[in-house]
Amino acid sequence: MERIHLNTTPIFVLSGLGLLCCCFGGLGVIPAGIAFYMANNKLKEAALVPENYDNIEGMNTAKTIALVILVINGINLLYTIYSLATTDWDVIIEQSHEVMRQYGYE
């Protein structure tokens, strides 16, 4: 019987995208969450009949990386929500106008 190779590429790509999106207020929680979910499901399938699957170690690594990036994005998202909830909206708008003036957009 031919062994099924677990493809880790989509998980690594989504995790990388999640790491890049971390800079946007924790929005990387979406691709990182999808990557973690995909890796977790594949590992559950492989756990049923492990002798039929190849690259289980690689999938475990991909799942761990997705989880770390998911946690980083989750913390960043919570901090962003906290900042928006506790800072006066006028201060946020003024800061954004100041940045725009610095770069010559206003």
Side-chain angles (χ1 to χ4, degrees):
M1 184 168 173
E2 189 175 324
R3 292 171 63 95
I4 300 168
H5 181 73
L6 293 174
N7 188 7
T8 59
T9 304
I11 286 93
F12 283 125
V13 168
L14 284 169
S15 296
L17 184 62
L19 186 62
L20 291 174
C21 291
C22 182
C23 301
F24 302 111
L27 291 180
V29 76
I30 296 168
I34 293 169
F36 180 76
Y37 177 78
M38 288 172 56
N40 200 32
N41 280 347
K42 291 293 183 182
L43 285 171
K44 282 182 184 176
E45 288 175 16
L48 296 175
V49 191
E51 60 272 2
N52 290 346
Y53 287 89
D54 208 15
N55 196 24
I56 293 176
E57 299 83 21
M59 189 58 76
N60 273 325
T61 303
K63 178 183 171 186
T64 302
I65 290 172
L67 179 62
V68 168
I69 294 173
L70 181 63
V71 168
I72 290 169
N73 275 291
I75 291 169
N76 194 1
L77 180 64
L78 290 175
Y79 176 74
T80 301
I81 292 169
Y82 173 77
S83 294
L84 289 175
T86 58
T87 306
D88 188 23
W89 192 248
D90 292 334
V91 173
I92 295 172
I93 296 296
E94 185 57 41
Q95 287 174 348
S96 114
H97 284 284
E98 183 60 35
V99 168
M100 291 174 70
R101 275 187 230 111
Q102 286 177 354
Y103 289 104
Y105 292 118
E106 194 174 279

